[in-house]
Coordinates of all heavy atoms in Angstrom, one line a residue:
P1 N -109.6 96.6 47.8 CA -109.8 97.9 48.4 C -110.7 98.8 47.6 O -110.6 98.8 46.4 CB -108.3 98.5 48.4 CG -107.5 97.7 47.5 CD -108.1 96.4 47.4
F2 N -111.6 99.5 48.3 CA -112.4 100.5 47.6 C -111.6 101.7 47.2 O -110.9 102.2 48.0 CB -113.6 100.9 48.6 CG -114.5 101.9 48.1 CD1 -115.1 101.8 46.8 CD2 -115.0 102.9 48.9 CE1 -116.0 102.7 46.4 CE2 -115.9 103.9 48.5 CZ -116.4 103.8 47.2
I3 N -111.7 102.1 45.9 CA -111.0 103.2 45.4 C -112.0 104.3 45.0 O -112.8 104.0 44.2 CB -110.1 102.8 44.2 CG1 -109.1 101.7 44.6 CG2 -109.4 104.1 43.7 CD1 -108.0 102.1 45.5
Y4 N -111.9 105.5 45.6 CA -112.7 106.6 45.0 C -111.8 107.8 44.8 O -111.0 108.1 45.7 CB -114.0 106.9 45.8 CG -113.8 107.3 47.2 CD1 -114.0 108.6 47.6 CD2 -113.6 106.3 48.2 CE1 -113.9 108.9 49.0 CE2 -113.6 106.6 49.5 CZ -113.7 107.9 49.9 OH -113.7 108.2 51.3
Q5 N -111.8 108.3 43.6 CA -110.8 109.2 43.1 C -111.3 110.7 43.0 O -112.4 110.9 42.4 CB -110.3 108.7 41.7 CG -109.8 107.3 41.8 CD -109.8 106.6 40.4 OE1 -108.8 106.5 39.8 NE2 -110.9 106.3 40.0
E6 N -110.6 111.6 43.5 CA -110.9 113.0 43.4 C -110.6 113.5 42.0 O -109.4 113.7 41.6 CB -110.2 113.9 44.5 CG -110.7 115.3 44.3 CD -109.7 116.4 44.9 OE1 -108.5 116.0 44.9 OE2 -110.1 117.5 45.2
V7 N -111.6 113.7 41.1 CA -111.4 114.3 39.8 C -112.5 115.4 39.7 O -113.7 115.1 39.7 CB -111.6 113.2 38.7 CG1 -111.4 113.9 37.4 CG2 -110.7 112.0 38.8
I8 N -112.0 116.6 39.7 CA -113.0 117.7 39.6 C -113.3 117.9 38.1 O -112.4 118.3 37.3 CB -112.4 119.1 40.2 CG1 -112.1 118.9 41.7 CG2 -113.3 120.2 40.0 CD1 -111.3 120.0 42.3
D9 N -114.5 117.6 37.7 CA -115.0 117.7 36.3 C -116.3 118.3 36.3 O -117.3 117.7 36.5 CB -115.0 116.3 35.7 CG -115.5 116.3 34.3 OD1 -115.7 117.4 33.7 OD2 -115.8 115.2 33.8
L10 N -116.3 119.7 36.1 CA -117.6 120.3 35.9 C -117.9 120.6 34.4 O -118.8 121.3 34.1 CB -117.6 121.7 36.7 CG -117.5 121.6 38.2 CD1 -117.5 122.9 38.9 CD2 -118.7 120.8 38.8
G11 N -117.1 120.0 33.6 CA -117.2 120.3 32.1 C -116.3 121.4 31.7 O -115.9 122.2 32.5
G12 N -116.0 121.4 30.4 CA -115.2 122.5 29.9 C -113.7 122.4 29.9 O -113.0 123.2 29.4
E13 N -113.2 121.2 30.4 CA -111.8 120.9 30.4 C -111.5 119.6 29.7 O -112.4 118.7 29.7 CB -111.3 120.8 31.8 CG -111.3 122.1 32.6 CD -110.7 122.0 34.0 OE1 -109.9 121.1 34.2 OE2 -111.0 122.8 34.9
P14 N -110.3 119.5 29.1 CA -110.0 118.3 28.4 C -109.9 117.0 29.2 O -110.2 115.9 28.7 CB -108.6 118.5 27.7 CG -108.0 119.6 28.5 CD -109.2 120.4 29.0
I15 N -109.5 117.1 30.5 CA -109.5 116.0 31.4 C -110.8 115.7 32.0 O -111.4 116.7 32.6 CB -108.4 116.1 32.5 CG1 -107.0 116.2 31.9 CG2 -108.5 115.0 33.5 CD1 -105.9 116.5 32.8
T16 N -111.4 114.5 31.8 CA -112.7 114.2 32.3 C -112.7 113.1 33.3 O -111.8 112.2 33.3 CB -113.6 113.8 31.1 OG1 -113.1 112.6 30.5 CG2 -113.6 114.9 30.0
A17 N -113.8 113.0 34.1 CA -114.0 112.0 35.1 C -114.0 110.6 34.4 O -113.5 109.6 35.0 CB -115.2 112.2 35.9
S18 N -114.5 110.5 33.2 CA -114.6 109.2 32.5 C -113.3 108.5 32.3 O -113.3 107.3 32.1 CB -115.4 109.4 31.2 OG -114.7 110.2 30.3
E19 N -112.2 109.3 32.2 CA -110.9 108.6 32.1 C -110.5 107.8 33.3 O -109.6 107.0 33.2 CB -109.8 109.8 31.8 CG -110.0 110.5 30.5 CD -109.0 111.6 30.5 OE1 -107.8 111.3 30.5 OE2 -109.3 112.8 30.3
Y20 N -111.2 108.0 34.4 CA -110.8 107.3 35.7 C -111.9 106.3 36.2 O -111.6 105.6 37.1 CB -110.6 108.4 36.7 CG -109.5 109.3 36.4 CD1 -109.7 110.5 35.6 CD2 -108.1 109.1 36.9 CE1 -108.6 111.3 35.3 CE2 -107.1 110.0 36.6 CZ -107.3 111.0 35.8 OH -106.3 111.9 35.5
T21 N -113.1 106.3 35.6 CA -114.1 105.5 36.1 C -113.8 103.9 35.9 O -114.4 103.1 36.7 CB -115.5 105.8 35.5 OG1 -115.4 105.8 34.1 CG2 -116.0 107.2 35.9
G22 N -112.9 103.6 35.0 CA -112.6 102.2 34.9 C -111.7 101.7 35.9 O -111.5 100.5 36.1
L23 N -111.2 102.6 36.7 CA -110.2 102.3 37.8 C -110.8 102.2 39.2 O -110.3 101.5 40.1 CB -109.0 103.3 37.9 CG -108.3 103.6 36.6 CD1 -107.3 104.7 36.8 CD2 -107.6 102.3 36.1
G24 N -112.0 102.8 39.3 CA -112.7 102.9 40.7 C -113.7 103.9 40.5 O -114.0 104.5 39.5
R25 N -114.4 104.2 41.7 CA -115.4 105.3 41.6 C -114.7 106.7 41.6 O -113.5 106.7 41.8 CB -116.3 105.3 42.9 CG -117.3 104.1 42.8 CD -118.3 104.2 43.9 NE -119.2 103.0 43.9 CZ -120.4 103.0 43.4 NH1 -121.0 104.1 43.1 NH2 -121.1 101.9 43.4
V26 N -115.5 107.6 41.2 CA -115.0 109.0 41.1 C -115.9 110.0 41.8 O -117.1 109.8 41.8 CB -114.8 109.4 39.5 CG1 -114.4 110.8 39.4 CG2 -113.8 108.4 38.9
T27 N -115.3 111.0 42.4 CA -116.1 112.0 43.0 C -116.8 112.8 42.0 O -116.3 113.4 41.1 CB -115.2 112.9 43.9 OG1 -114.1 113.4 43.0 CG2 -114.6 112.2 45.1
E28 N -118.2 112.8 42.2 CA -119.1 113.6 41.2 C -119.3 115.0 41.7 O -120.3 115.2 42.5 CB -120.4 112.8 41.0 CG -121.3 113.4 40.0 CD -120.8 113.8 38.6 OE1 -120.1 114.9 38.6 OE2 -120.9 113.0 37.7
F29 N -118.5 115.9 41.3 CA -118.6 117.2 41.8 C -119.8 118.0 41.2 O -120.2 119.0 41.8 CB -117.3 118.0 41.4 CG -116.2 117.8 42.4 CD1 -115.3 116.7 42.3 CD2 -116.0 118.7 43.5 CE1 -114.3 116.5 43.3 CE2 -115.0 118.4 44.5 CZ -114.2 117.4 44.3
K30 N -120.3 117.5 40.1 CA -121.5 118.2 39.5 C -122.7 118.1 40.6 O -123.6 118.9 40.6 CB -121.9 117.5 38.2 CG -120.9 117.7 37.1 CD -121.5 117.2 35.7 CE -120.5 117.3 34.6 NZ -119.6 116.1 34.6
Y31 N -122.7 117.0 41.3 CA -123.8 116.7 42.2 C -124.0 117.8 43.2 O -125.1 118.4 43.2 CB -123.4 115.4 43.0 CG -124.6 114.7 43.7 CD1 -125.3 113.7 43.2 CD2 -125.0 115.2 45.0 CE1 -126.3 113.1 43.8 CE2 -126.1 114.6 45.6 CZ -126.7 113.5 45.0 OH -127.8 112.9 45.7
G32 N -123.1 118.2 44.0 CA -123.3 119.2 45.0 C -123.5 120.6 44.4 O -124.3 121.4 44.8
A33 N -122.8 120.9 43.3 CA -122.8 122.2 42.6 C -124.3 122.4 42.1 O -124.8 123.4 42.2 CB -121.8 122.2 41.5
K34 N -124.8 121.4 41.4 CA -126.1 121.5 40.8 C -127.3 121.4 41.9 O -128.3 122.1 41.8 CB -126.3 120.4 39.7 CG -125.4 120.6 38.5 CD -125.6 119.7 37.4 CE -124.8 120.0 36.2 NZ -125.0 119.1 35.1
L35 N -127.1 120.5 42.8 CA -128.1 120.4 43.9 C -128.2 121.7 44.7 O -129.3 122.1 45.0 CB -127.8 119.2 44.8 CG -128.9 118.7 45.7 CD1 -130.0 118.1 44.8 CD2 -128.4 117.6 46.6
G36 N -127.1 122.3 45.0 CA -127.1 123.6 45.7 C -127.9 124.7 44.9 O -128.6 125.5 45.5
T37 N -127.7 124.7 43.6 CA -128.3 125.6 42.7 C -129.9 125.4 42.8 O -130.7 126.4 42.8 CB -127.9 125.5 41.3 OG1 -126.5 125.8 41.2 CG2 -128.6 126.5 40.3
V38 N -130.3 124.1 42.8 CA -131.7 123.8 42.8 C -132.3 124.2 44.1 O -133.4 124.8 44.1 CB -132.0 122.3 42.5 CG1 -133.4 121.9 42.7 CG2 -131.5 122.0 41.1
F39 N -131.7 123.8 45.2 CA -132.3 124.1 46.5 C -132.3 125.7 46.8 O -133.1 126.2 47.6 CB -131.6 123.3 47.6 CG -132.3 122.0 47.8 CD1 -131.8 120.9 47.1 CD2 -133.3 121.8 48.7 CE1 -132.4 119.7 47.3 CE2 -133.9 120.6 48.9 CZ -133.4 119.5 48.2
R40 N -131.3 126.3 46.3 CA -131.3 127.8 46.4 C -132.2 128.5 45.5 O -132.4 129.7 45.5 CB -129.8 128.4 46.2 CG -128.8 127.9 47.3 CD -127.5 128.6 46.9 NE -126.4 128.1 47.8 CZ -126.2 128.5 49.1 NH1 -127.0 129.5 49.5 NH2 -125.3 128.0 49.8
K41 N -132.8 127.7 44.5 CA -133.7 128.3 43.5 C -133.1 129.3 42.6 O -133.7 130.2 42.0 CB -135.0 128.9 44.1 CG -135.7 127.9 45.1 CD -137.0 128.6 45.7 CE -137.4 128.1 47.0 NZ -138.5 128.8 47.6

């Protein structure tokens, strides 16, 4: 089964996405947050 895990990691907290990447994929929340900033200029 494909596993992708919701882990909100924008930095600044002790729990990180990297703790979960060995188990399956992880939702990359930085992606939409940073892409929105770029397209909004």
Side-chain angles (χ1 to χ4, degrees):
F2 178 44
I3 303 287
Y4 57 105
Q5 304 158 103
E6 185 205 23
V7 181
I8 299 173
D9 175 12
L10 294 178
E13 291 182 23
I15 295 176
T16 64
S18 62
E19 295 177 56
Y20 297 84
T21 52
L23 306 176
R25 286 189 185 253
V26 175
T27 50
E28 180 51 275
F29 276 87
K30 296 184 184 84
Y31 193 100
K34 292 181 175 182
L35 198 62
T37 300
V38 173
F39 272 91
R40 292 184 188 278
K41 306 181 206 175

